[in-house]
Structure formats: C-alpha cells, structure tokens
Amino acid sequence: MAMLTTVFVGCKSKAEKAIEEMRGITQQFIVDMNYAQSKEEALQILKAYEERGKYEEMKLSEEDKKEYLQKSNWEDIQENQRLQKEAQQAIENAKKRFRGK
C-alpha cells in the first residue's frame, strides 16, 4: 500500500504539487495571522504570504494551470475555496484586533 501511494504521489502534475504546497502555506498563514502579536507582525506575515503565492504561481505556465483546472474535482475546488475564505477571515480578524493600534 505504501509503495502504491508513493507511485501515485509521484504522478502528480506540476500544478497539483504547487496547489498542495500553497494549501500548506495557506494553512500556516492562517495560524500565524491568528497568533500575530502586533499590527506590524501581521503585515509582515501577510506580505510574506503574498510574495510566496506569487512565487508559486510564477513557477506554473498557463498550460499547467489549464491542465489543473481540467483535472480538478469538486472536492479540490471546494477545499481551495474554503482555505481562501479562512485566510481572508484571518486577515479580517487581525484587522479588528489591531484597529487603532
């Protein structure tokens, strides 16, 4: 079973690997934003997250992106949207915490 999993994981497209990487980065971003201790720290976390997102996207060609969209299933799309909503909520929460500081 482990070998089958390894073979399957090895067959992922470049875009699938990048999306998985961004999911992990987004999950860590959410945690970091929720635990930010100051407005400056939150801004620094946000800037690093945005830069990393641009970097990951830059690694993919338009063809890679189209291929991923064609292969994506409903669950993957829903998971990506859920994470983006969670990330946006973490940003909003940080804004509320540090408003006026």
Side-chain angles (χ1 to χ4, degrees):
M1 180 75 169
M3 183 177 270
L4 179 61
T5 303
T6 304
V7 171
F8 179 71
V9 170
C11 295
K12 290 183 180 179
S13 72
K14 191 175 178 182
E16 288 171 312
K17 291 175 186 175
I19 293 295
E20 282 184 9
E21 179 74 17
M22 274 311 296
R23 281 183 184 160
I25 292 166
T26 301
Q27 289 168 339
Q28 187 61 51
F29 166 76
I30 293 165
V31 170
D32 292 346
M33 283 299 279
N34 286 331
Y35 287 102
Q37 298 296 310
S38 68
K39 181 179 180 178
E40 292 75 22
E41 182 182 4
L43 289 172
Q44 193 173 37
I45 292 166
L46 178 59
K47 182 179 178 185
Y49 173 70
E50 289 173 342
E51 288 174 358
R52 183 66 188 266
K54 288 176 187 175
Y55 172 75
E56 292 298 328
E57 186 176 348
M58 197 175 67
K59 294 190 314 189
L60 300 174
S61 68
E62 287 302 315
E63 186 176 311
D64 291 332
K65 294 174 193 176
K66 285 179 186 176
E67 179 185 332
Y68 175 75
L69 289 174
Q70 290 172 348
K71 288 178 149 183
S72 293
N73 61 40
W74 180 250
E75 290 81 17
D76 286 340
I77 292 168
Q78 290 297 314
E79 177 65 11
N80 292 342
Q81 288 177 345
R82 183 190 67 74
L83 278 174
Q84 286 306 310
K85 285 179 185 176
E86 244 183 270
Q88 188 59 43
Q89 187 62 50
I91 293 168
E92 294 302 317
N93 292 343
K95 284 180 182 178
K96 287 176 187 174
R97 278 196 324 271
F98 304 120
R99 188 168 284 139
K101 291 184 180 182

